Amino acid sequence: MTNDAMHLLHTLLSALPYAETTQTLPKTPVSHITADSRAVVPGSIFVAYRGVSVDGHRFIGDAVARGAIAVLGEAPPEQVEPLPVPYVHVRDGREALAWLAAAWHGHPSRAMRVVGITGTDGKTTTTTLVGSVLRAAGEHVGLLTTIGATIGGQHFETAPHTTTPDALELQHYLRHMVEAGVTTAVLEVTSHGLAQHRVTGIAFDTAIVTNITHEHLDFHGTLENYRRAKAMLFEHLMNTPRKRNTPKVSILNADDSSFAYLRPIPAERSLTYGIEQPADVRAEQVRYDNSGTTIQVDSPLGVFEVRTHLLGPFNVYNVLAAVAAGIAHGADIPAIQAGIAAVQRVKGRMEPVDMGQPFLVLIDFAHTPISLEQALTAARAMTNGRIIVVFGSAGLRDRAKRGMMGRIAARLADLAVLTAEDPRTEDVNDIIAEIAAGAAAEGAQEGRDYVRIPDRTEAIAYAIAQAQPGDIVLTCGKGHEPTMCYGTTEYPWSEHDAVRNALQRLGFTANQQAP
């Protein structure tokens, strides 16, 4: 990452919490920081770490040959060939990269209030709602979600399949926010982003969890490791610099299994939200209709109603988390109500596509067992007709969830169309077979209760062609994502275009603005 203002090597390295070198660090200008030897230019710092599939230490020689003026690595110095430039031993290369990135950009998170939102499901919607509430309360808000970054009214696309950008990109966005006059940054934070130190060096002030359920066990190994990674966001609260008149606040879901695990982590103030269990912010009554949800909230500010355009019981939790965030930031009731009401829809989250058809088509990002169950349950509450669901499961990711999702679809949908969802280097038919085995184990019959159509465009067209008046077609797993991964190539993809094209083939042509 380049910057017009040059930085001195010894100053940047002084930001590292742990570093060892026997060499004197020169006061040399640094032009670039990178963990990719191919991106090294003269004046770069090269950071080597042991990745999932590649060991960056193998490329130290190449980095030096390209002009690196210092190398940071996890390997002890005695295991590294003598270099003509300083070698700095660090305990974790990703951690070191994050601290360097923060220092390079002048630690921008220390100049704003920073809200971090983690969880398995609902992060993007909750981040959007929290940002809207704080904006209604008069704060200048910057957002970073799965969908992209929003800063000063501009939207920036982030990499596909990545919620939390790498540390260098993330700190770049935070610096951009500071320069745009943002007073509060609201960040969607993944377990990968936490475990891989992408958010290390960010001074969080408010930490929010949506829920913690079965997901990403391919990376974390166990649910305990996954939960521990999520907990890191809350541990960051009291371990990062304090800001004037800004308490460290944790916001927890009292109804979720994560509550007992996260509750003991210290914070200066803790707020809880929920529906079933006692909570600081609690839904006392919930009324659903075809255009949204009305929630009567009991809170430290008193009892009041909020109205959201968002559908489904799971969105009640997302709204309650946003109400709690508003309270933590000093928002009053009218601001909270206005902020919640202002969110018309969130792209790819139970998002309706209306082209005049006599049935409802919803696009949702649900790609975990619990989110698929929530989406199907919400759809069931919206119609007396059939539920037709289109979904798959990502390749090279948590395989255990495939059968689970098949069983859920067999229980809650009338027809499941099993298809591709980023198969990567796996055979899409093998992935679908694992989902189908789960559906069959639940008693579903192929051809009657579920079908296999590997091509996602064809699968969506088939599902929509089966729909009758009053039915709901729910496409899950891709949502907003702009690409589909086959092999190692990201091909352009739009769930919205696939749905609209399928409807047009049936003769529905009512104009709808593309999201």
Side-chain angles (χ1 to χ4, degrees), residues 48 100 146-147 261 263 309 421:
L100 286 177
T146 302
I147 297 173
Y261 184 82
R263 180 76 177 202
H309 297 280
E421 183 208 311

Side-chain angles (χ1 to χ4, degrees), residues 206-502:
T206 303
I208 303 173
V209 67
T210 57
N211 60 10
I212 299 179
T213 64
H214 193 289
E215 175 68 333
H216 297 309
L217 301 195
D218 58 298
F219 175 78
H220 296 286
T222 66
L223 183 59
E224 175 60 26
N225 289 341
Y226 177 51
R227 191 168 60 173
R228 189 178 299 121
K230 294 289 191 187
M232 290 173 67
L233 175 62
F234 293 84
E235 293 163 352
H236 279 316
L237 282 177
M238 300 301 287
N239 294 324
T240 54
R242 300 174 55 83
K243 300 159 195 174
R244 186 177 180 182
N245 299 323
T246 304
K248 301 285 190 173
V249 183
S250 68
I251 297 177
L252 307 177
N253 183 345
D255 293 347
D256 190 63
S257 61
S258 64
F259 180 70
Y261 184 82
L262 298 175
R263 180 76 177 202
I265 299 174
E268 292 175 341
R269 184 182 183 189
S270 181
L271 286 171
T272 60
Y273 67 93
I275 301 172
E276 304 297 333
Q277 299 298 321
D280 299 309
V281 177
R282 188 169 185 271
E284 295 290 339
Q285 294 180 13
V286 181
R287 301 191 304 275
Y288 303 101
D289 57 54
N290 290 336
S291 62
T293 310
T294 302
I295 309 165
Q296 181 175 292
V297 179
D298 188 0
S299 78
L301 299 181
V303 178
F304 60 96
E305 280 193 350
V306 293
R307 173 71 180 173
T308 176
H309 297 280
L310 305 180
L311 305 170
F314 55 92
N315 273 319
V316 175
Y317 283 99
N318 299 332
V319 167
L320 293 175
V323 171
I327 292 171
H329 281 240
D332 59 18
I333 291 174
I336 292 171
Q337 291 171 322
I340 298 296
V343 177
Q344 296 287 323
R345 63 176 62 185
V346 180
K347 186 177 181 181
R349 272 64 178 175
M350 293 298 281
E351 182 184 3
V353 177
D354 182 5
M355 294 181 63
Q357 75 276 7
F359 50 86
L360 182 60
V361 181
L362 298 170
I363 295 175
D364 195 64
F365 190 49
H367 61 285
T368 67
I370 188 65
S371 61
L372 179 63
E373 181 174 16
Q374 289 175 335
L376 288 169
T377 301
R380 180 62 66 192
M382 295 163 62
T383 184
N384 292 320
R386 296 185 307 158
I387 305 295
I388 302 170
V389 63
V390 180
F391 74 100
S393 191
L396 304 183
R397 297 296 185 266
D398 187 358
R399 290 183 60 177
K401 71 178 184 180
R402 297 172 185 174
M404 298 168 64
M405 294 175 74
R407 289 191 290 273
I408 289 166
R411 287 200 312 270
L412 299 178
D414 297 288
L415 174 63
V417 183
L418 310 183
T419 191
E421 183 208 311
D422 300 299
R424 299 186 171 88
T425 56
E426 287 194 63
D427 187 322
V428 64
N429 293 292
D430 292 341
I431 297 173
I432 290 174
E434 293 185 53
I435 302 172
E442 198 67 26
Q445 293 184 23
E446 187 164 5
R448 184 193 69 183
D449 305 310
Y450 69 91
V451 296
R452 312 184 199 202
I453 304 179
D455 184 285
R456 193 172 180 98
T457 299
E458 293 179 9
I460 290 173
Y462 176 85
I464 287 175
Q466 305 309 303
Q468 300 296 316
D471 290 348
I472 292 180
V473 176
L474 177 64
T475 75
C476 292
K478 291 300 295 176
H480 66 284
E481 292 186 335
T483 63
M484 178 94 74
C485 186
Y486 284 90
T488 57
T489 303
E490 296 284 349
Y491 295 92
W493 174 258
S494 168
E495 195 90 338
H496 297 77
D497 285 350
V499 167
R500 283 191 287 261
N501 289 340

Side-chain angles (χ1 to χ4, degrees), residues 42-303:
S44 295
I45 295 176
F46 175 65
V47 183
Y49 54 78
R50 297 178 179 91
V52 176
S53 58
V54 177
D55 187 346
H57 295 83
R58 292 169 44 199
F59 306 102
I60 289 176
D62 181 53
V64 173
R66 290 172 181 266
I69 59 170
V71 174
L72 276 63
E74 298 169 344
E78 60 269 19
Q79 295 179 12
V80 179
E81 293 290 331
L83 299 173
V85 300
Y87 177 79
V88 181
H89 180 217
V90 296
R91 62 187 176 189
D92 187 297
R94 286 189 174 95
E95 178 190 33
L97 182 65
W99 282 110
L100 286 177
W104 179 268
H105 287 287
H107 296 282
S109 68
R110 299 178 185 179
M112 304 177 286
R113 298 175 79 170
V114 182
V115 180
I117 299 170
T118 195
T120 306
D121 306 300
K123 295 186 297 296
T124 300
T125 300
T126 302
T127 300
T128 303
L129 287 165
V130 169
S132 184
V133 167
L134 299 184
R135 194 175 295 112
E139 299 186 36
H140 188 178
V141 176
L143 291 183
L144 184 61
T145 74
T146 302
I147 297 173
T150 303
I151 306 169
Q154 291 183 290
H155 183 77
F156 304 88
E157 296 290 340
T158 51
H161 312 300
T162 301
T163 299
T164 306
D166 66 38
L168 291 164
E169 185 181 9
L170 179 53
Q171 292 291 342
H172 167 75
Y173 283 129
L174 293 176
R175 169 48 54 189
H176 189 172
M177 289 183 188
V178 171
E179 293 172 351
V182 167
T183 57
T184 303
V186 186
L187 313 180
E188 185 176 343
V189 182
T190 64
S191 59
H192 288 71
L194 289 157
Q196 294 181 341
H197 289 286
R198 299 180 207 165
V199 299
T200 293
I202 296 178
F204 287 100
D205 304 294
T206 303
I208 303 173
V209 67
T210 57
N211 60 10
I212 299 179
T213 64
H214 193 289
E215 175 68 333
H216 297 309
L217 301 195
D218 58 298
F219 175 78
H220 296 286
T222 66
L223 183 59
E224 175 60 26
N225 289 341
Y226 177 51
R227 191 168 60 173
R228 189 178 299 121
K230 294 289 191 187
M232 290 173 67
L233 175 62
F234 293 84
E235 293 163 352
H236 279 316
L237 282 177
M238 300 301 287
N239 294 324
T240 54
R242 300 174 55 83
K243 300 159 195 174
R244 186 177 180 182
N245 299 323
T246 304
K248 301 285 190 173
V249 183
S250 68
I251 297 177
L252 307 177
N253 183 345
D255 293 347
D256 190 63
S257 61
S258 64
F259 180 70
Y261 184 82
L262 298 175
R263 180 76 177 202
I265 299 174
E268 292 175 341
R269 184 182 183 189
S270 181
L271 286 171
T272 60
Y273 67 93
I275 301 172
E276 304 297 333
Q277 299 298 321
D280 299 309
V281 177
R282 188 169 185 271
E284 295 290 339
Q285 294 180 13
V286 181
R287 301 191 304 275
Y288 303 101
D289 57 54
N290 290 336
S291 62
T293 310
T294 302
I295 309 165
Q296 181 175 292
V297 179
D298 188 0
S299 78
L301 299 181
V303 178

